[in-house]
Amino acid sequence: MDISRFIYQLQTCSIEEFKEILKGYDVKLSSSELKKVHPLLQEISLTWLVLGVPMPIQQKLINILGENRSIELFNQLKQKVPSTFREK
């Protein structure tokens, strides 16, 4: 699946579909976290691949999950992305 299609899938998925997507990447969010994070999917953009996740989105995630949990989640996701997207 190409990245633009994957982003579209994230933007349009239900909470249950989002849960299954996360399960496929072995990323764990509680039901409460899942419900709070799911609306942020609407804001995903291809530009994030080049410019990074904008600070307002990062701040929303921190407000939802707390700083420590947000950093933990970021580190989990960073380890699971294809190597071509990882920082060198």
Side-chain angles (χ1 to χ4, degrees):
M1 176 183 305
D2 68 34
I3 192 70
S4 60
R5 200 170 344 162
F6 180 67
I7 289 173
Y8 178 75
Q9 179 184 11
L10 286 173
Q11 290 174 327
T12 59
C13 70
S14 68
I15 289 177
E16 283 303 313
E17 290 168 330
F18 182 43
K19 187 176 182 178
E20 287 300 311
I21 291 168
L22 291 176
K23 191 184 224 181
Y25 288 96
D26 195 32
V27 173
K28 293 171 181 63
L29 288 177
S30 70
S31 294
S32 173
E33 291 173 333
L34 194 67
K35 289 176 186 173
K36 292 175 184 174
V37 171
H38 182 260
L40 293 179
L41 299 177
Q42 300 295 315
E43 302 186 47
I44 293 175
S45 168
L46 276 172
T47 60
W48 293 12
L49 293 174
V50 177
L51 303 174
V53 179
M55 283 304 276
I57 300 299
Q58 291 180 36
Q59 191 59 49
K60 285 179 185 180
L61 189 61
I62 289 168
N63 289 339
I64 292 169
L65 301 176
E67 188 171 350
N68 290 338
R69 179 70 172 118
S70 296
I71 290 169
E72 177 186 314
L73 182 61
F74 172 76
N75 287 331
Q76 282 180 13
L77 292 172
K78 194 166 110 174
Q79 296 302 315
K80 295 172 191 310
V81 297
S83 60
T84 55
F85 293 113
R86 287 192 199 141
E87 295 176 18
K88 302 285 182 202

